[in-house]
């Protein structure tokens, strides 16, 4: 069967499947799946509050099911074991009473933990979790000073200069670290056997917090920040990770467990739960991705619109229109009402573009969103996720500080914004902002021709976004930067005909191929090449054929995490990605090459 015909059939099948998965309000609800962290934190919180025993059982089952046969927990398939994830999962299962220390599954996990340096080598966020349960000592002198909260904005380490993600988490940590707050556990519930040194003895020396007049104002400021940034559902900025810390911080400030704010926060956390079709397996999403998923899937449908999708697209557009925030931007989750970001905004604007000429409300929203997006461009020419011209510096060493403290311009965000501005807003390099964005991408291209993406894995993601973005605003495929990118893409395809990249890339800061191709990476790479070639190459045709074969597989090709959160610590398997990106590239392949082949035959 001729390739374009096969692609057309798959395109129709994908549309049919997506129509059946759409919610009544026009949205799509796919799982935002990460590692063990959120499930372990939720289990510990429910245990501490003696709440919802059935949900505790489900979370325990989830953690036990996701443990590897070697005893550790992983972040991704080719991970050889993740120390902090294993410590957190072990702690939650042990403290909640799901498994005893003597259980062979916890013994295997304990062996892995000790072999990899013990609790002392855990990530700082894991140590904070353990400290909250008096399983690891709080520092006698907390390294983050309360002065951060009242430092003037012109100081590089001022609280106001930190990225919104860090502020959202630091506000609680400053309270917890300086109060050395702990949840009481039975005296025989310890993790002494997981230490490699005698550091556990400091737990016995840890003195209870004594209130000081000097902490009153900073604590009030931190508390006000938390209350000001709670969403209507009770979560903090729609992040489960930040909401956990907020609950403990409020307890440290004297709120009781049955305080309405705390009860709302826990209810909000429960709204993040994603149940499988049987309602047996459950996962706590750190931040549900309903707005993001709906925008991506809808504009992928619009790329090669058909009458069968009109109703679904209109319902999705109505949903997206209702989620615009007062600023003009859009956020990631339905509950996110005042924390917009660049990527969700450009994706949402794509959905509304076809409505601008016929729907007055959509036209007003689109103009407002476009203005917000253009205004978010950094001085260097690029776009970041949440901040504009972000610059901050902490005078103390902190794990992942360079990944979180600031929110710098990123190739993926800049490329995707340019792609929107070119393909939907119809801007070219004659526009000063577009010209500056393109120049930033050219200057930040790696020597090998690739770009590093920040919010996806990793060099394939960044390169795809940069190439398609520059192409959309008029940069020729013959441009040196585009040719270098093309060569890099073609040289880094795998022997199975597609593309795949390990999550290890964003830690090593170099491209590390996966041992097998994924449908998402293959879709990204193929889409970039489609933008560069007037006719498909044999390599592209073969990749398209392989993509068709892999789309219905279950396993690593369709489930490998391709979303990046925190290098080395947090990766995301977007369950929507196996549909939206293949649908997009199939649409673009057919749009370009069906016409190209017909023109060639008529010559």
């Amino acid at each position: 069967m001729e390739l374009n015909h096969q692609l057309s059939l798959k395109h129709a099948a994908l549309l049919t499947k997506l129509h059946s998965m759409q919610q009544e309000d026009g949205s799509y609800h796919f799982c935002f799946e990460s590692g063990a962290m959120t499930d372990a934190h939720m289990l510990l919180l429910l245990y501490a509050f003696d709440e919802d025993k059935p949900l505790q059982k489900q979370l325990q089952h989830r953690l036990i099911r996701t443990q590897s046969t070697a005893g550790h927990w992983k972040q991704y398939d080719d991970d050889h074991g993740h120390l902090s994830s294993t410590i957190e999962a072990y702690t939650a299962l042990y403290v909640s009473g799901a498994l005893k220390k003597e259980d062979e599954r916890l013994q295997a996990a304990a062996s892995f933990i000790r072999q990899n340096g013990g609790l002392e080598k855990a990530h700082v966020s894991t140590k904070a979790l353990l400290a909250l349960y008096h399983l690891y000592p709080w520092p006698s002198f907390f390294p983050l000073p309360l002065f951060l909260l009242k430092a003037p904005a012109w100081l590089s380490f001022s609280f106001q200069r930190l990225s919104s993600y860090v502020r959202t988490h630091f506000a609680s940590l400053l309270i917890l670290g300086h109060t050395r707050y702990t949840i009481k556990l039975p005296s025989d519930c310890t993790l002494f056997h997981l230490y490699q040194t005698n550091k556990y003895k400091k737990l016995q020396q840890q003195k209870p917090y004594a209130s000081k007049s000097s902490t009153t104002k900073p604590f009030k400021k931190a508390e006000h920040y938390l209350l000001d940034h709670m969403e209507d559902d009770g979560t903090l900025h729609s992040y489960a990770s930040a909401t956990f810390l907020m609950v403990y911080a409020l307890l440290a400030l004297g709120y009781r467990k049955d305080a309405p704010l705390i009860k709302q926060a826990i209810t909000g956390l429960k709204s993040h739960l994603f149940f499988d079709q049987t309602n047996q397996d459950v996962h706590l999403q750190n931040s549900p991705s309903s707005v993001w998923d709906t925008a991506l899937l809808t504009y992928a449908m619009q790329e090669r619109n058909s009458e069968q999708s009109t109703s679904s697209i209109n319902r999705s557009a109505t949903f997206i229109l209702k989620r615009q925030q007062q600023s003009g931007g859009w956020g990631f989750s339905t509950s996110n009402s005042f924390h917009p970001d660049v990527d969700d905004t450009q994706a949402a604007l794509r959905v509304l573009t076809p409505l601008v000429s016929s729907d007055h409300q959509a036209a007003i929203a689109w103009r407002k969103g476009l203005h917000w997006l253009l205004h978010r461009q950094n001085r260097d020419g690029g776009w970041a996720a949440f901040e504009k011209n972000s610059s901050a510096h902490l005078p103390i060493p902190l794990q992942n500080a360079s990944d979180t403290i600031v929110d710098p311009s990123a190739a993926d965000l800049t490329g995707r914004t340019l792609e929107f501005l070119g393909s939907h807003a119809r801007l070219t390099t004659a526009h000063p902002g577009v010209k500056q964005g393109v120049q930033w991408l050219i200057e930040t291209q790696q020597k090998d021709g690739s770009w590093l993406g920040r919010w996806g894995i990793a060099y394939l993601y960044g390169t795809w976004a940069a190439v398609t973005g520059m192409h959309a605003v008029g940069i020729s495929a013959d441009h040196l930067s585009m040719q270098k990118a093309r060569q890099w893409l073609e040289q880094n395809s795998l022997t199975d005909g597609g593309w795949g990249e390990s999550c290890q890339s964003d830690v090593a800061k170099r491209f590390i191929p996966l041992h097998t191709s994924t449908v998402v990476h293959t879709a990204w790479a193929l889409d970039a090449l489609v933008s560069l070639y007037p006719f498909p190459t044999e390599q592209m045709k073969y990749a398209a054929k392989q993509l068709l074969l892999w789309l219905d597989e279950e396993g690593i090709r369709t489930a490998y995490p391709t979303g990046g959160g925190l290098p080395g610590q947090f990766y995301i398997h977007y369950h929507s990605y196996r549909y939206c990106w293949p649908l997009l590239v199939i649409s673009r392949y057919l749009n370009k090459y069906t016409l190209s082949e017909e023109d060639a035959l008529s010559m």
Side-chain angles (χ1 to χ4, degrees):
M1 191 184 297
E2 189 251 331
L3 176 58
N4 280 15
H5 181 57
Q6 290 179 307
L7 289 170
S8 295
L9 291 176
K10 178 55 70 175
H11 180 270
L14 284 170
L15 290 180
T16 299
K17 187 172 185 65
L18 288 171
H19 297 162
S20 70
M21 302 171 84
Q22 190 176 30
Q23 304 296 308
E24 289 187 10
D25 66 355
S27 67
Y28 288 90
H29 295 177
F30 285 90
C31 187
F32 175 93
E33 185 178 7
S34 54
M37 182 270 287
T38 52
D39 298 323
H41 279 244
M42 188 65 175
L43 178 54
L44 283 168
L45 187 68
L46 292 174
Y47 169 80
F49 278 71
D50 192 26
E51 182 175 318
D52 206 333
K53 294 294 178 63
L55 179 55
Q56 288 187 48
K57 290 287 186 183
Q58 287 180 296
L59 291 168
Q60 290 167 348
H61 172 75
R62 162 85 180 184
L63 288 172
I64 291 171
R65 184 182 66 77
T66 54
Q67 185 181 18
S68 74
T69 54
H72 53 248
W73 277 261
K74 297 181 176 185
Q75 290 278 342
Y76 43 86
D77 295 71
D78 54 325
D79 186 1
H80 300 301
H82 191 261
L83 178 60
S84 289
S85 296
T86 302
I87 291 171
E88 292 179 6
Y90 179 106
T91 302
L93 289 170
Y94 168 57
V95 170
S96 69
L99 299 175
K100 296 183 181 298
K101 288 180 184 177
E102 297 75 25
D103 188 283
E104 61 181 13
R105 289 164 289 190
L106 286 194
Q107 285 186 342
S111 177
F112 172 81
I113 292 168
R114 288 191 293 266
Q115 289 171 8
N116 286 273
L119 302 187
E120 294 91 334
K121 293 295 183 180
H123 191 268
V124 63
S125 60
T126 302
K127 291 177 179 177
L129 172 67
L130 298 178
L132 286 168
Y133 286 85
H134 200 59
L135 298 170
Y136 195 87
W138 282 111
S140 54
F141 180 76
F142 196 61
L144 297 174
L146 288 172
F147 177 67
L148 286 174
L149 290 162
K150 57 182 180 180
W154 57 266
L155 285 176
S156 63
F157 55 84
S158 165
F159 185 78
Q160 301 170 63
R161 293 277 289 272
L162 304 175
S163 71
S164 61
Y165 175 85
V166 170
R167 293 195 303 271
T168 301
H169 291 77
F170 271 22
S172 296
L173 281 171
L174 285 164
I175 294 169
L176 294 169
H178 285 277
T179 58
R180 297 189 291 277
Y181 178 76
T182 58
I183 298 282
K184 289 185 179 180
L185 295 177
S187 59
D188 60 346
C189 187
T190 69
L191 298 181
F192 296 162
H193 59 295
L194 299 182
Y195 283 80
Q196 293 290 73
T197 66
N198 291 329
K199 190 164 188 174
Y200 64 87
K201 292 183 177 179
K202 291 186 177 180
L203 287 167
Q204 300 166 348
Q205 303 165 5
Q206 191 164 285
K207 298 178 180 179
Y209 168 71
S211 180
K212 302 175 184 176
S213 59
S214 60
T215 64
T216 301
K217 286 186 178 180
F219 283 175
K220 281 186 176 180
K221 192 164 186 175
E223 179 186 13
H224 289 161
Y225 180 89
L226 296 175
L227 301 186
D228 287 344
H229 292 84
M230 287 181 73
E231 292 287 357
D232 290 344
D233 67 352
T235 61
L236 184 60
H237 265 326
S238 299
Y239 293 129
S241 56
T243 306
F244 290 130
L245 292 174
M246 179 185 71
V247 169
Y248 296 121
L250 294 178
L251 291 173
L253 291 176
Y255 288 70
R256 295 180 178 178
K257 287 183 177 179
D258 61 352
L261 285 179
I262 290 179
K263 292 172 73 173
Q264 289 173 31
I266 293 176
T267 300
L269 285 169
K270 289 182 179 180
S271 73
H272 284 207
L273 291 166
F274 190 94
F275 293 87
D276 70 358
Q277 293 179 343
T278 66
N279 280 335
Q280 296 300 310
D281 196 34
V282 63
H283 175 59
L284 187 80
Q285 304 169 101
N286 194 52
S287 186
S289 53
S290 51
V291 176
W292 175 242
D293 290 334
T294 303
L296 293 184
L297 289 163
T298 306
Y299 91 71
M301 288 185 203
Q302 291 171 327
E303 192 71 23
R304 187 176 175 82
N305 197 2
S306 64
E307 289 186 7
Q308 80 179 103
S309 296
T310 301
S311 176
S312 292
I313 289 172
N314 289 340
R315 293 204 309 274
S316 292
T318 299
F319 170 83
I320 291 296
L321 188 59
K322 290 178 180 178
R323 295 302 177 279
Q324 187 174 33
Q325 299 178 10
Q326 188 173 4
S327 64
W330 277 262
F332 188 72
S333 304
T334 304
S335 61
N336 182 337
S337 62
F338 52 83
H339 193 212
D341 67 90
V342 163
D343 222 2
D344 280 283
T345 300
Q346 63 81 23
L349 287 171
R350 292 169 189 263
V351 174
L352 299 183
T353 302
L355 305 178
V356 168
S357 60
S358 59
D359 187 316
H360 182 64
Q361 184 182 2
I364 293 173
W366 192 89
R367 289 197 301 270
K368 187 176 180 181
L370 176 65
H371 179 262
W372 184 88
L373 189 65
L374 291 172
H375 185 66
R376 301 306 293 177
Q377 188 172 22
N378 289 327
R379 282 188 295 265
D380 62 13
W383 276 266
F386 300 100
E387 309 291 336
K388 180 180 179 181
N389 299 323
S390 174
S391 62
H393 172 72
L394 281 182
I396 57 172
L398 187 67
Q399 286 173 287
N400 287 112
S402 62
D403 304 308
T404 56
I405 296 299
V406 294
D407 183 16
S409 296
D412 47 323
L413 295 169
T414 303
R416 287 173 56 70
T417 301
L418 288 176
E419 209 281 336
F420 159 74
L421 293 175
S423 65
H424 289 68
R426 310 304 294 166
L427 301 185
T428 69
T429 51
H431 183 278
V434 169
K435 182 178 181 180
Q436 195 179 11
V438 168
Q439 188 60 37
W440 183 85
L441 283 175
I442 292 172
E443 291 173 356
T444 56
Q445 187 175 24
Q446 305 286 313
K447 289 182 180 180
D448 63 7
S450 67
W451 281 269
L452 173 62
R454 169 63 182 88
W455 300 100
I457 305 303
Y459 288 90
L460 285 171
Y461 187 59
T463 304
W464 159 72
V467 168
T468 54
M470 290 199 295
H471 166 76
V473 295
I475 300 300
S476 168
D478 295 326
H479 189 284
L480 178 61
S481 183
M482 302 286 258
Q483 286 298 305
K484 288 170 63 179
R486 176 188 61 77
Q487 292 170 8
W488 182 84
L489 285 166
E490 292 175 340
Q491 291 169 1
N492 283 286
S493 65
L494 301 181
T495 55
D496 60 11
W499 285 262
E501 183 174 3
S502 172
C503 290
Q504 299 171 39
S505 289
D506 72 339
V507 177
K509 294 296 183 282
R510 60 182 176 84
F511 176 72
I512 299 178
L514 193 61
H515 60 276
T516 189
S517 292
T518 73
V519 298
V520 175
H521 285 124
T522 300
W524 288 338
L526 185 56
D527 190 33
L529 293 175
V530 167
S531 73
L532 295 173
Y533 279 104
F535 297 95
T537 65
E538 291 304 313
Q539 182 185 38
M540 293 167 63
K541 291 178 182 178
Y542 186 63
K545 290 178 183 177
Q546 294 298 88
L547 183 62
L548 289 175
L549 293 175
W550 298 333
L551 277 173
D552 295 322
E553 288 188 17
E554 298 297 332
I556 188 171
R557 291 195 193 276
T558 52
Y560 189 82
T562 50
L566 187 62
Q569 303 300 325
F570 192 82
Y571 298 94
I572 307 115
H573 167 207
Y574 287 96
H575 286 224
S576 65
Y577 277 19
R578 66 183 297 181
Y579 303 109
C580 66
W581 301 123
L583 179 62
L584 183 70
V585 72
I586 288 172
S587 298
R588 288 178 172 173
Y589 190 103
L590 289 171
N591 288 344
K592 186 170 187 178
Y593 298 135
T594 299
L595 292 174
S596 296
E597 289 178 3
E598 290 175 354
D599 291 344
L601 290 172
S602 65
M603 291 176 65

